[in-house]
Amino acid sequence: DLAAPGPSGGGPLAGVELVMDGGTVAVRPGGGELAERLDDAGAAGDFAGAARRLLGAGPARPDAVVALDPLGARALLEATGPIDLPGRGRLDAAGAAPGLTRGGGYGRADRELLLGTLLGRVLAGPDLVATGRALGDAGARGHLRVYAADAGLRRVLAHHRLDGAPATGPR
């Protein structure tokens, strides 16, 4: 999900489905039902609550919800390089935040393509160290948030400040 800048503001602007099965990872376009579920999930200011509602909605039971805002996308583009969007040209780190916010010129399909491409790059790991640092920094700044259905994984995410909760001191 790409949301407006800032750890507590904005609504979902795009969503993709990440499917892990038997050691294989596939990124599928969000569209349709997923986009509606994202829109209905609630305020971005209550990420955990919105994620719980999203995890419990519909026939599919996802294992996690991942939110990445335009500033997080910028950090990942800095680590992994620009992306060519068919018919739209190249999107680099400098253009990520202004281009991906509401009214920034990129439609939902463009944002879904960008999100899917970024996820694919993160998982393929051309430079896992740089990508890991970018993910950690985006999480610490509230630009990448993850809510998992599994309580143990939620504790790990909270420890690494990837849960979207406000920073309240050392974890």
Side-chain angles (χ1 to χ4, degrees):
D1 143 41
L2 285 173
S8 64
L13 298 179
V16 296
E17 184 178 0
L18 181 66
V19 179
M20 296 180 179
D21 185 24
T24 303
V25 179
V27 179
R28 298 181 185 156
E33 182 185 335
L34 179 59
E36 289 175 20
R37 288 171 60 192
L38 286 168
D39 288 339
D40 293 341
D46 179 17
F47 174 70
R52 280 191 300 276
R53 288 189 297 281
L54 185 59
L55 288 177
R61 295 288 186 238
D63 293 317
V65 174
V66 179
L68 177 69
D69 73 13
L71 297 177
R74 179 179 68 193
L76 289 177
L77 286 167
E78 286 173 351
T80 66
I83 291 176
D84 291 317
L85 296 172
R88 300 290 299 198
R90 183 167 277 212
L91 179 66
D92 60 14
L100 296 173
T101 56
R102 235 179 258 287
Y106 287 93
R108 187 181 290 258
D110 295 324
R111 293 186 301 262
E112 287 177 357
L113 178 61
L114 169 75
L115 184 56
T117 302
L118 278 174
L119 284 172
R121 284 183 178 180
V122 167
L123 296 170
D127 185 346
L128 287 175
V129 173
T131 303
R133 285 186 181 131
L135 287 169
D137 185 53
R141 295 177 187 271
H143 302 299
L144 170 71
R145 298 170 287 180
V146 182
Y147 183 88
D150 180 78
L153 183 52
R154 281 197 308 272
R155 285 190 295 275
V156 170
L157 293 167
H159 177 76
H160 292 285
R161 294 195 173 152
L162 291 171
D163 61 345
T168 57
R171 294 189 192 186

